[in-house]
Amino acid sequence: MDLDLQKLELFRDEIRLKTLKELHHLGFGHYGGSLSIVEVLAVLYGGVMKVDPANPKWEERDYFILSKGHGGPGLYATLAAKGYFPEEVLYTLNQNGTKLPSHPDKNLTPGVDMTTGSLGQGISAAVGVALSHKLSGKENYTYCIVGDGELNEGQCWEAFQFAAHHKLNRLFVFVDDNKKQLDGLTKDIIDPLDFAEKFNAFGFYAMKVDGGSLRGIYEAIEKGKAQGDKPVAIILDTVKGQGVPYLEEKADNHHIRPNEADEAAILNAIAELETKLGKAVEL
C-alpha cells in the first residue's frame, strides 16, 4: 500500500475515540492496554492487511490475533471503524447477550480470527495459523499483538522458537512494550531485558520502533516483508493509556473504574477527538 498518512491519522483518531466511548459507556475497563495498541491497529486495518469486512471469513484474508486479549476494546473499536459491525454494537461491550465479550471470541464477533484472553496462548495459535498457511502454500499474512507483561509466559518463547525453526516469514509479532502490567512496572516484576536482542537470538528478524508513529510502524512492516525467511518481531515502544495524556500519567491505568477526576479527563478527551474529527470532515 502507498502510505496515506492523513487518512491513517483520521482512522487512528476514530479508533481512539470509539475505544474511549465504549469503555466510558461501560463504566470501567482496560483503558491502558487498549489505547496503547491504537496506532498499530490503525496501520494494520488502515491498509496493510488484506481483509473484507463484508466477508469476515474470506479465505484469502490476512489473519489478526490479539494475544493480549484484554486489549479487546481497542480491537472492537477498530472493527467498528472498519465496518465489520455498526458503532452501536460497541455500547453492548461486556453486557449480557453481547457479541463483544470482555476478551475477543471468534464465535461471537465478526472479524475476530481467534479467541484469546488466557495470556501466552494467543501467540501459539497465531504460529499454528501461520504454519497452516505455509503448509497449504497460501500467501496469507498472520499478524499478532502480544503484551510485554504477557512475555513473562514461557509458552510464548516456545512458540517463537517453533516459528523460527519453521521459517514462518509471513508471521509478524508486535510487542506492545508499554512498560506496565497488571501488578506494576514490567521491569520490576520480571525484567525483560532487550526484547529485540532476545527475538533475534530466537531466530526472528527483530526491530524496535516508536509505537506512536504511524509512519514508523508502516515502514517497519514494509521492511519486515522485504527480509528473508525469518518471522518478524516489531517491538512497539508505547505508553499505557497512549494518546490521552491524563491516562498516560495515571499510575494504575491497566484497568480503570473512573473516579471523578478520571471521568472529567475521559470526557474531555472524547470531546477533543470529536471536535478534531468534526473539523476534518468539514475540510
Side-chain angles (χ1 to χ4, degrees):
M1 106 177 192
D2 293 326
L3 181 65
D4 186 337
L5 189 57
Q6 185 176 20
K7 181 179 178 181
L8 274 183
E9 287 173 345
L10 292 175
F11 190 49
R12 171 203 63 198
D13 291 344
E14 184 178 0
I15 294 169
R16 183 160 277 119
L17 173 61
K18 284 178 165 52
T19 302
L20 288 170
K21 289 174 70 175
E22 67 177 314
L23 285 169
H24 178 261
H25 184 272
L26 178 62
F28 57 88
H30 289 103
Y31 280 88
S34 295
L35 292 169
S36 59
I37 59 174
V38 166
E39 276 72 15
V40 66
L41 288 170
V43 173
L44 289 173
Y45 283 91
V48 167
M49 286 176 59
K50 184 170 64 173
V51 294
D52 181 2
N55 184 14
K57 299 298 184 182
W58 179 39
E59 290 190 0
E60 301 304 313
R61 74 189 184 280
D62 292 329
Y63 282 61
F64 174 79
I65 297 170
L66 182 64
S67 192
K68 46 164 285 180
H70 54 279
L75 174 58
Y76 298 152
T78 305
L79 294 174
K82 189 68 176 176
Y84 282 85
F85 49 80
E87 179 179 346
E88 291 72 27
V89 176
L90 291 175
Y91 306 121
T92 69
L93 175 67
N94 218 18
Q95 304 293 322
N96 289 337
T98 186
K99 292 183 180 295
L100 306 182
S102 179
H103 295 70
D105 186 328
K106 71 182 182 67
N107 296 314
L108 291 176
T109 312
V112 170
D113 291 319
M114 184 58 62
T115 301
T116 55
S118 296
L119 295 179
Q121 296 184 7
I123 180 56
S124 293
V127 169
V129 169
L131 178 63
S132 173
H133 289 152
K134 181 172 184 176
L135 293 175
S136 302
K138 295 183 177 180
E139 297 187 349
N140 314 61
Y141 280 92
T142 304
Y143 298 94
C144 181
I145 298 177
V146 299
D148 53 352
E150 180 179 14
L151 296 188
N152 292 163
E153 300 275 0
Q155 179 175 348
C156 298
W157 298 96
E158 293 176 26
F160 299 147
Q161 183 170 297
F162 183 92
H165 174 77
H166 289 279
K167 304 184 188 304
L168 303 182
N169 62 325
R170 289 182 176 269
L171 171 68
F172 277 71
V173 177
F174 299 89
V175 178
D176 179 23
D177 186 13
N178 62 32
K179 324 298 184 299
K180 288 183 179 180
Q181 55 195 91
L182 176 63
D183 295 325
L185 297 177
T186 303
K187 67 180 179 62
D188 292 338
I189 295 168
I190 296 182
D191 191 342
L193 305 177
D194 188 301
F195 279 126
E197 288 185 3
K198 287 166 71 173
F199 272 96
N200 282 323
F202 269 73
F204 273 63
Y205 179 79
M207 63 196 113
K208 183 176 180 178
V209 303
D210 177 357
S213 169
L214 298 172
R215 181 182 296 278
I217 295 168
Y218 170 80
E219 291 178 349
I221 294 170
E222 291 297 294
K223 188 175 181 180
K225 286 183 175 181
Q227 61 83 43
D229 58 0
K230 296 181 178 181
V232 177
I234 298 176
I235 318 305
L236 303 169
D237 184 8
T238 59
V239 180
K240 209 142 188 162
Q242 191 159 285
V244 182
Y246 175 90
L247 296 181
E248 290 180 358
E249 296 169 7
K250 184 176 175 64
D252 298 322
N253 60 1
H254 179 84
H255 183 282
I256 300 173
R257 191 174 291 274
N259 57 33
E260 188 174 336
D262 299 336
E263 177 87 1
I266 291 165
L267 287 174
N268 183 63
I270 288 172
E272 288 181 351
L273 283 165
E274 286 180 332
T275 299
K276 184 178 181 181
L277 287 167
K279 289 181 177 178
V281 170
E282 291 174 5
L283 293 175

